[in-house]
Structures are given as C-alpha cells and as structure tokens.
Amino acid sequence: MTTPAPNPLAHTRAAVLGYGSQGRAHALNLRDSGHEVVLGLRKGGPSWQRAQAEGFAVAEPAEAVKGAALVAVLTPDMAQPALYREAIAPHIAPGAALLFAHGFNVHYGQIEPRKDIDVVLVAPKGPGALVRSEYARGRGVPCLWAVHQDASGAAAAKARAYADGIGGGRALLIQTDFREETETDLFGEQAVLCGGASELVTKGFETLVEAGYQPEIAYYEVMHELKLIVDLFYEGGLTKMLEFVSETAQYGDYVSGPRVVDTGTKERMRAVLDDIRDGTFARQWIAEHQAGLPNYRRLKQADLDHPIEKVGAALRARMPWLQPAKEEPAPLKVVG
C-alpha cells in the first residue's frame, strides 16, 4: 500500500481574507477539516462580527497574514491589488503560499507577487453556499487548481491540500493555469452565463411584447421557464434536456436555434474572447473602477429598469414557493 504524502498544510495556520460567500465557506470547511484558521477582516464591520460569532479568530488583514503558512485572498477582484500592497506583501512569510480563487489580478499584472512565496489558485466550480452545503453532506464541489509560482518546491501539494480541505478532493480536482482559468471564466460570464443569457431573455421578451403578446405571458415563456431547461442542462447536459422536452420543442430547437445563435454570433463570441485574451476587457474594467464606475452604474440601472423586471416582480410576488421559507411557530404549551 502506498503511503500518502504528508499534508504540507498540517499543523500550520491559514489566513482567509474575506468572509463573503466563498470566504465563509472556505473558512468553515477548512476548520472542519482540522486546519487552524484566522480571518483577516476590516475591524468592526458586519463580517468581523459574524466571523467572531461563528467562533473564528479574527484580526485586521495585516495581522492575520503574519505567521500564516497560507494566505487565501477571497475579496472582490478590484480590492485585491491594494490589499496585497498594504497587508500581504509586507507581512507574508518567505516560503508561504498566496492563494487566489480567481486568477484575474495575477494574470493581468495587477498583482506581482514577491518571488520568495508560492502563488497558487483553487477555484471551486460553484457558489460558496454550495461549497459549504456539499461539504456538510460529506461530498464536495469540483475545483480547478493551478500553480503560478513555486518558491518552496511544494506549491502544488499546498494547492491540492487546500482543495482537499474545502472538499474539492471528494469530487474532482482539475489542474489548469492562471491564464486558462481567468480567460475561460470571463468568457463564460460574458458570452453565455450572464451577458449572453440576459440579452437573450430580454430580447425575447421585447420581441413578444412588441408583437402584441401580453407581457406576463412573455415573461413566463422566456424568463421563468428558463430555469426548467437550465436544470436539465445542469443535471444531464443536452442529452437530458432532449429527453425531457417534447418532440415539438426538440424540432424547434434543431431548426430555429441556429437561426438565432448562428455563425455570426460565434464570430462575435470570438471577438469577446479576443478582448479577454489581449487584456482589452481587463484594462477597460480597471479604468472603469478607477473612474468611480459611472458606466457600470448606468448600465446596471438600465437592466434594473427594463420592463421585464417590473412584470417579473409582480408575477414572482404571486409565487410563494420562491419566497424564503418561514419557520412554523412553536406550538403553544398548556400549563397546569
């Protein structure tokens, strides 16, 4: 029997910077896996209080970094460069590991890590709530992992040990690099998952309403029912979707899908990918953030003001199954 390699993170402390969706899930899972965890957070904020209430040692980021064998940066992308300059670079120990869950800042040169530290990536392919709930069930969420810089000679082992600590090793670990993770993640968000899907839905809604159909019916057909199809994709790919929709729907898929999403769409997707690969998108986003997000705010408000949102809010209010479950009141106790 092969003796398992020693865990390079055993009997060391991990500093997790950030306590949002991913940060909280990673911290809880690492602790439950037997790792010592300290949270690096802004003092006095709601995350600080919540982390303390959930039993974590909490410190300002710079203090949390000191003496940590691994520092996980789980804050928003645009906050990371300043965090690295001010709290991490002056304090992270030589030979320690700096871990990211998304390669944006390293890949696009916004963070240039010190040469005497390991730089690794572990990216769960699911939201933080799922990372936590799957771990609690004794399972895990698949993770991508990568090594950008190996100063200690054990960077790969550290990345895999961290992925195991948050439950990824129970599912699937896929090795990648910072470039591939960053570029494919951005492309998926822009061309399909967020940008592509939201534009397809709103343009479909507009097409039906402009043709004289009721907005409520248009909403159900292009927004509400999308979840049914996405769930089938998620559970079994194209095969399961085709198995569970009608033959009429299948035939419409075959003959009309390519009329909407055609070779021209694919060419425009390639243009989106080119902007991601050559850094155009990153430069635009960084400049937008530095300018105070004027275009971001304007474009976001336009989405929020779209008629589909007004119609949808009214319809969703009549769907009690979408509302958070309320706890049943405790039964009255008869005293006497």
Side-chain angles (χ1 to χ4, degrees):
M1 181 180 293
T2 304
T3 303
N7 184 337
L9 300 181
H11 312 298
T12 66
R13 186 170 79 249
V16 175
L17 309 186
Y19 205 59
S21 173
Q22 289 290 344
R24 179 174 181 270
H26 289 217
L28 290 168
N29 291 4
L30 288 169
R31 183 174 67 182
D32 289 351
S33 292
H35 295 280
E36 180 186 351
V37 178
V38 59
L39 271 297
L41 304 171
R42 180 173 59 85
K43 190 169 185 177
S47 293
W48 177 289
Q49 297 168 3
R50 184 180 188 188
Q52 280 190 326
E54 294 183 326
F56 284 104
V58 187
E60 294 272 14
E63 288 301 313
V65 168
K66 293 176 182 178
L70 181 143
V71 177
V73 183
L74 301 175
T75 59
D77 288 337
M78 292 298 102
Q80 291 179 11
L83 181 66
Y84 176 76
R85 291 192 305 269
E86 297 166 9
I88 300 173
H91 302 294
I92 189 169
L98 179 62
L99 181 143
F100 297 88
H102 181 39
F104 184 98
N105 283 300
V106 171
H107 177 56
Y108 291 119
Q110 298 306 295
I111 293 175
E112 296 184 5
R114 279 178 17 203
K115 299 301 182 184
D116 61 348
I117 60 174
D118 296 334
V119 182
V120 300
L121 177 144
V122 174
K125 301 313 293 177
L130 187 67
V131 172
R132 179 56 183 166
S133 63
E134 285 299 285
Y135 182 95
R137 293 185 177 101
R139 303 184 303 210
V141 170
C143 293
L144 307 184
W145 70 276
V147 174
H148 175 75
Q149 188 169 285
D150 187 4
S152 71
K158 292 176 184 178
R160 292 179 64 92
Y162 184 95
D164 286 340
I166 64 172
R170 300 170 177 177
L172 176 67
L173 302 182
I174 302 175
Q175 187 173 5
T176 183
D177 57 44
F178 275 56
R179 179 192 66 82
E180 183 176 57
E181 186 278 332
T182 301
E183 293 175 358
T184 56
D185 185 76
L186 292 175
F187 176 81
E189 291 170 350
Q190 294 176 30
V192 180
L193 305 177
C194 301
S198 61
E199 285 301 309
L200 187 66
V201 166
T202 55
K203 295 301 185 289
F205 177 86
E206 290 169 5
T207 299
L208 287 174
V209 172
E210 289 166 5
Y213 299 102
Q214 295 180 63
E216 293 79 6
I217 293 176
Y219 174 87
Y220 276 119
E221 293 302 329
V222 303
M223 172 77 88
H224 179 80
E225 293 190 17
L226 183 63
K227 181 183 186 304
L228 306 178
I229 302 303
V230 170
D231 283 350
L232 294 173
F233 283 154
Y234 183 80
E235 294 165 7
L238 293 173
T239 300
K240 186 164 186 178
M241 186 275 287
L242 293 172
E243 178 184 355
F244 280 86
V245 301
S246 69
E247 290 180 340
T248 304
Q250 289 182 47
Y251 184 68
D253 172 343
Y254 305 143
V255 300
S256 296
R259 296 174 64 191
V260 176
V261 181
D262 58 10
T263 55
T265 307
K266 191 172 180 181
E267 285 302 314
R268 291 187 291 275
M269 285 183 168
R270 288 196 181 102
V272 169
L273 182 57
D274 287 344
D275 283 352
I276 291 167
R277 296 178 73 176
D278 67 16
T280 298
F281 169 77
R283 290 190 294 272
Q284 290 174 344
W285 174 224
I286 292 164
E288 175 69 16
H289 195 271
Q290 291 172 343
L293 302 173
N295 294 307
Y296 167 91
R297 297 182 196 281
R298 174 177 57 81
L299 294 168
K300 181 175 182 178
Q301 193 60 49
D303 268 2
L304 297 176
D305 291 340
H306 193 282
I308 198 172
E309 283 302 284
K310 182 176 181 180
V311 173
L315 292 176
R316 289 190 296 271
R318 303 179 70 86
M319 303 179 206
W321 60 90
L322 297 180
Q323 310 309 316
K326 295 181 179 179
E327 293 185 7
E328 293 294 329
L332 294 174
K333 294 182 179 180
V334 179
V335 180

